[in-house]
Amino acid sequence: MRLFVAVNFPARLRQKIARLCGPLQEAGVPARWTEPDKVHLTFKFIGEVPAIEVEPISEALEEVAGRFRPFELRFGPIGAFPSPRRPRVVWLGVEPTPELRFIKDDLERRLAELGIPREERPYQPHVTLGRAPREAEAGEFRRLEEVARSLKVTDTYRVTHIDLMKSQLGAAGALHTRLVAARMGSRS
């Protein structure tokens, strides 16, 4: 079973975030753009695990979420990994608040206790907007930064739970299913 931990947004906010892709697409930025129903903030990609491990992972997630109170999430500018000149991923930034950092650290520590490898790269919270094809040429991204500067999401989102998600890969892309919604502050 392929798993990840995420913050999912309500439909209205997912639609608003997904609409940012339109101007980028119109500017000729080549990417496979994220569908609104797949818009989320990833806390941790776990990867393939046997079904028997879902319960201990769920319990760990509920334990971590329960230690933190709900908090406000704010969105930042649009960026790209590894760079806007030759991106692999185009993303909407998320303000890296202390709450996000502490939850991420606790989640990494707790999941490592279950044998799930820690992420070694620094956590840069973001919402993936699109993935660039490997064969795209650097010149095809020349308008990315210019167009991205004019795009913003001014909404804030109150995070009240963190979700354990299952991702099933298929011909039409990935199907995401929520397995557990771990409430924030349930152990306060």
Side-chain angles (χ1 to χ4, degrees):
M1 194 174 296
R2 189 171 189 251
L3 303 178
F4 64 96
V5 177
V7 172
N8 287 296
F9 307 117
R12 184 188 63 74
L13 182 54
R14 286 194 318 263
Q15 291 282 346
K16 185 179 261 189
I17 291 169
R19 279 197 295 270
L20 297 174
C21 301
L24 294 167
Q25 192 172 15
E26 289 168 15
V29 176
R32 191 175 64 251
W33 300 105
T34 302
E35 296 294 322
D37 65 328
K38 294 187 181 81
V39 168
H40 64 272
L41 166 68
T42 300
F43 257 118
K44 168 88 175 155
F45 179 74
I46 296 172
E48 290 289 337
V49 299
I52 196 167
E53 291 184 25
V54 172
E55 187 173 336
I57 291 170
S58 298
E59 289 170 359
L61 178 60
E62 288 173 342
E63 179 186 312
V64 170
R67 278 188 244 152
F68 294 91
R69 290 201 163 111
F71 65 97
E72 298 295 319
L73 189 118
R74 289 175 183 74
F75 299 96
I78 290 176
F81 296 133
S83 80
R85 303 232 187 280
R86 189 69 181 252
R88 295 290 306 126
V89 175
V90 178
W91 46 260
L92 171 64
V94 173
E95 187 178 300
T97 63
E99 293 93 345
L100 283 173
R101 189 176 63 252
F102 294 146
I103 292 168
K104 172 68 170 165
D105 289 347
D106 275 14
L107 191 58
E108 288 287 352
R109 179 192 52 74
R110 189 63 183 83
L111 292 176
E113 292 171 5
L114 299 175
I116 296 166
R118 286 180 181 260
E119 174 60 59
E120 298 300 324
R121 294 173 293 190
Y123 183 55
Q124 185 168 351
H126 67 279
V127 176
T128 297
L129 297 177
R131 296 185 183 281
R134 292 191 189 282
E135 65 276 0
E137 299 292 325
E140 295 179 79
F141 300 101
R142 65 185 171 281
R143 296 208 47 224
L144 173 60
E145 289 179 287
E146 170 195 340
V147 174
R149 277 193 292 273
S150 67
L151 303 174
K152 293 180 181 26
V153 174
T154 57
D155 301 50
T156 59
Y157 175 66
R158 186 166 178 76
V159 178
T160 59
H161 61 280
I162 302 170
D163 299 327
L164 179 61
M165 303 293 293
K166 178 170 81 168
S167 178
Q168 294 171 279
L169 300 178
L175 172 65
H176 296 163
T177 307
R178 179 177 21 217
L179 299 178
V180 173
R183 279 192 22 234
M184 305 291 294
S186 61
R187 297 183 187 216
S188 303

